[in-house]
Amino acid sequence: MDYRETLNLPNTAFPMRANLVEKEPQILERWKRIDIHRYILRTRENRPTFVLHDGPPYANGAIHIGTAMNKILKDMVIRYKTLRGFRTPYVPGWDTHGLPIEHRVTSMLKEKVEKMTPQEIRRECEKFAREQIEIQKRQFQRLGVIGDWENYYATLDPEYEYRVYTVLKKFVEDGYVYREKKPVLWCFTCGTALAQAEIEYHDHVSPSIYVKFKMKDSDEYIVIWTTTPWTLPANTGIAVHPEETYVRLKVDSEVWIVAERLLEQFASEIGLKHYSVLEKFSGRSLEGKTAISPLSQRDSRIIVADFVDMETGTGCVHVAPGHGEEDYEYGYKIYKLDVLSPVDEKGRFTSEAGKYRGLNVFDANKLIMEDLKNLGVLLHASTITHSYPHCWRCKNPVIFRATEQWFISIDKNDLRKKLLEQIDMVEWIPDWGKNRIAAMIEERPDWCISRQRVWGIPIPAFRCKSCGHVNLDGRLIEHFAGIVRQKGTNAWFELGEKELLPDGYACKNCGSKDLEKTYDTLDVWIDSGASFEAVLNARPELTFPADMYLEGSDQHRGWFNSSLVLSVVKHGRPPYRTVLTHGFIKDEEGKKMSKSLGNVVDPLEVCSKYGADVLRLWLASSDYFNDIRISYNILMQQVEVYKKIRNTIRYLLGNLYDFTPQDAVPYEKLLPVDKWALGRLQQVIKSVTEAYESYEISKVYNTLVKYCSVELSAVYLDIVKDRLYVEGKNSLKRRSAQTVLREILRSLLIMLSPILTFTCEEAYSHLCAEDRRFETIHAESWPEYRKDWVDEKLMEDFERLFEVRDVALKSLEDARQADLIGHSLDAKLTLKINDEKLFSLLQEYRDVLEEIFIVSQVELEKGEERIQVLVSKAEGQKCDRCWKYHPLTNTNGRFPKICPRCVSVLEGEGK
């Protein structure tokens, strides 16, 4: 007789081979058919809402591993919150205006762009942006991200633009917005002003020169040090520190003035060996004196300023208010020095710079230094490598350039103080995010909100042709916002002043009605920062403030920052309750990813090779609060982890093929090992829930991976395998184990589903019909933690039993290596114990020891050591059906070579 046919062997259609590359697109098609986002929302009607507001990525090129990471992480959070019973509408969005897209489009158009009107360029930009949205939309969906993809938001939509104007109007009416000519960061490659958030710092080699300025009313010279010779044509002052001591040096026949603290360093740097100190005096005593700027022969007034440091140079700082923030704040705001900026938008000197006209500022450094040398005022020239601001888009160095721009005052109406107070109202995860954004608010200068771009939201300001005053007020904004709601912002470029101006509008300065529109556009951080108004407050399914903003750590100075400023002025509070921050992605060696290094990992390539679930598993394994690493080697490790998880799921499904909820055994009738396993599941549920609640996904990963590969596969599933396969199909012993397997499987799938979104959906489809309450696992409810299923005494008992088991397993392995046994069922264990409590415990659980140790026989004896395990050959014959040994095997004539237990099962089955 073939006894194999009488065993309850696992049976499932859930394949061992995942084949995710083919399976995942099929699941995506099914989700599309059932409209999964709306379906899930319907299952959560009248439930509390959790809104994660999507920070808009630029619609510019295919997604990369960073944007993929961000969207997957958001998806994990939203899926978890859904499982916890929240209604979680998720509206993805895109940032579509500004330099990135305009730069890309004009690069593609090449020389054609020179002949195009602004309207034509804007049409091309919009077309490009919408194409990119569709591409990225498909790519994000391929990662398994669920959202309202058909009703996404885009900053170029007229309704969105209209809402931005409502925020701008509030700022203008409350007096935060002003126009002024002052230095701003300027990219002459891109031809626009930049915000601090659009700046990156990279090493840059600059000249390092010492120049002497002749004092106007004496034969003395004051010596300055600068790394920007090109700014000397705009010099109008020299700053010294009021509290520092300065000296007059006798050098040959000349007298030079430098700071005492920097004297030795200065002398060493320029190779000055012979000098004598004539006098020491306070820097404040120099205030108001005048030197002569050597290139222009203009007066250069000496001012005092705290920003003068004593780290490098001479303690005498050349001041050009047209080319530096501190120069402007001290030189112009306090001392009313002239603001000269003889540089055009392309970074070339204008006619104001005289002989340097037409030269690029950086190219002019060499000629300026030659002229200084010829004038006899250049004391020393070398180079210095230092951190220097670069444009985030074109990667070229930028300059400070004084131009007329629109600014938001951060200190008006105590705004800075209010922002810092509101930061305390927000939960920052990790908590260092609070200090980071607070420091940035404390340090941030007034916000330059105007850009010299075609592709953007126009600032509806009008210049008076009579007096030159530029008008911007609430009435102008409201009038144009109404036009935008109907026609979009293209109307600014298509309509004339008569249509764009409110009836009867006149210049606020002189009363003239002869006005012309200006062409500055808003900083894109205004666009995206106003999304709380244009999305959260514009859609009935969403709530303001959002429950969460989730972006990379660079957004403390970007989107988190701009959104905070705009929302606090508009609504008096932050637009978010919680801000969750993730790090950046590096390669296997911790290096930044770049195409030139060949270390870029393409998320779509990962999907086509291994499947999106492997990428999601990698992210879950990572401590994303810090910078994390990825490579194909690292991904292959996750492929192996994935296989272990999948095999665990498959084994659970395979042993539940004939089980329905009606077959469940009540808790009080469960076998002790099964009660322990059910109690352990509760502990896992509790740990995983706590980890999800604190957004520590890597803890979820570690807990569940260990649970699958160690606690289940190597312990519980190994222990109950005999019962599942051998006992009667409907026996209490088998149904007891299956009852717990069902709880484990359902809980495991639900807890894993935010991470392995496709795999858990596939496995869910293989559950029995009664266990599939919904069209998708992602509409299920989170497993309830049942404290009444955690028998504390039983858990402690099994902890001690497993301590003995560990010793037994080692002894069995030693016996196997010595060829005493093959399988552990070939063995008989003799447990010699001298610990009375442990001995009593083993006697209490005597009936389950063979099952726990997976051997044929166990004997208990008092011993001399705490735990001693002796392995011997099991007594009796091996049963052909269960492979256990028993002295009475092969004593039943009807069932030869079968043990008494199996005979009982077979006779029972026969009935």
Side-chain angles (χ1 to χ4, degrees), residues 888-899 903 907:
L888 298 180
T889 296
N890 202 24
T891 57
N892 184 292
R894 186 179 170 196
F895 299 108
K897 298 182 180 179
I898 294 296
C899 69
V903 168
E907 287 178 341

Side-chain angles (χ1 to χ4, degrees), residues 178-187 192-196 199 230-231 234 236 307 319-333 337-343 398-407 445-452:
Y178 67 93
R179 185 173 176 83
E180 194 169 281
K181 181 181 181 181
K182 64 176 181 177
V184 293
L185 288 159
W186 185 273
C187 177
T192 186
L194 299 175
Q196 197 66 47
I199 293 296
W230 66 267
T231 62
T236 56
F307 71 77
V319 174
H323 293 299
E325 280 185 297
E326 290 171 324
D327 297 36
Y328 179 83
E329 291 300 323
Y330 280 84
Y332 173 71
K333 285 291 186 72
L337 299 182
D338 288 343
V339 179
L340 304 178
S341 184
V343 178
V398 300
I399 61 173
F400 274 101
R401 173 176 176 256
T403 60
E404 277 204 353
Q405 301 289 345
W406 292 103
F407 296 89
D446 285 356
W447 182 358
C448 177
I449 62 168
S450 49
R451 295 292 179 272
Q452 290 63 54

Side-chain angles (χ1 to χ4, degrees), residues 618-636:
W618 156 78
L619 177 55
S621 74
S622 309
D623 177 13
Y624 65 82
F625 294 134
N626 300 301
D627 290 348
I628 60 178
R629 300 183 180 192
I630 191 171
S631 69
Y632 285 101
N633 287 334
I634 291 172
L635 285 167
M636 281 307 297

Side-chain angles (χ1 to χ4, degrees), residues 256-373:
W256 299 351
I257 296 171
V258 296
E260 181 183 32
R261 269 212 274 171
L262 289 164
L263 175 55
E264 287 187 20
Q265 182 181 313
F266 160 67
S268 172
E269 177 82 10
I270 72 169
L272 180 62
K273 295 180 180 176
H274 303 294
Y275 61 88
S276 58
V277 176
L278 299 177
E279 182 189 0
K280 297 181 181 181
F281 54 93
S282 158
R284 191 176 296 280
S285 67
L286 291 169
E287 185 178 20
K289 295 184 183 298
T290 306
I292 305 297
S293 187
L295 291 176
S296 65
Q297 294 300 299
R298 277 191 303 266
D299 285 356
S300 184
R301 189 145 46 98
I302 299 177
I303 66 173
V304 294
D306 293 336
F307 71 77
V308 178
D309 70 51
M310 294 293 143
E311 298 296 321
T312 51
T314 64
C316 308
V317 177
H318 137 67
V319 174
H323 293 299
E325 280 185 297
E326 290 171 324
D327 297 36
Y328 179 83
E329 291 300 323
Y330 280 84
Y332 173 71
K333 285 291 186 72
I334 299 174
Y335 288 94
K336 303 303 177 187
L337 299 182
D338 288 343
V339 179
L340 304 178
S341 184
V343 178
D344 68 13
E345 70 277 3
K346 297 294 185 184
R348 299 170 304 204
F349 277 117
T350 65
S351 56
E352 280 186 277
K355 66 179 289 187
Y356 307 117
R357 178 182 179 179
L359 285 175
N360 174 274
V361 290
F362 293 144
D363 294 340
N365 277 332
K366 186 176 179 182
L367 180 57
I368 288 170
M369 288 159 62
E370 285 178 8
D371 288 347
L372 292 170
K373 185 177 180 181

Side-chain angles (χ1 to χ4, degrees), residues 636-685:
M636 281 307 297
Q637 295 168 18
Q638 296 309 318
V639 169
E640 295 306 310
V641 172
Y642 174 84
K643 287 178 182 176
K644 290 178 182 177
I645 295 172
R646 187 177 182 90
N647 285 340
T648 302
I649 293 170
R650 186 171 187 269
Y651 187 83
L652 291 166
L653 281 168
N655 281 287
L656 290 168
Y657 67 91
D658 64 339
F659 187 85
T660 67
Q662 290 73 38
D663 298 316
V665 175
Y667 176 78
E668 57 275 8
K669 292 186 178 180
L670 293 176
L671 273 61
V673 175
D674 301 325
K675 282 185 177 179
W676 165 80
L678 194 57
R680 180 66 194 122
L681 173 64
Q682 302 315 299
Q683 294 172 340
V684 169
I685 290 170

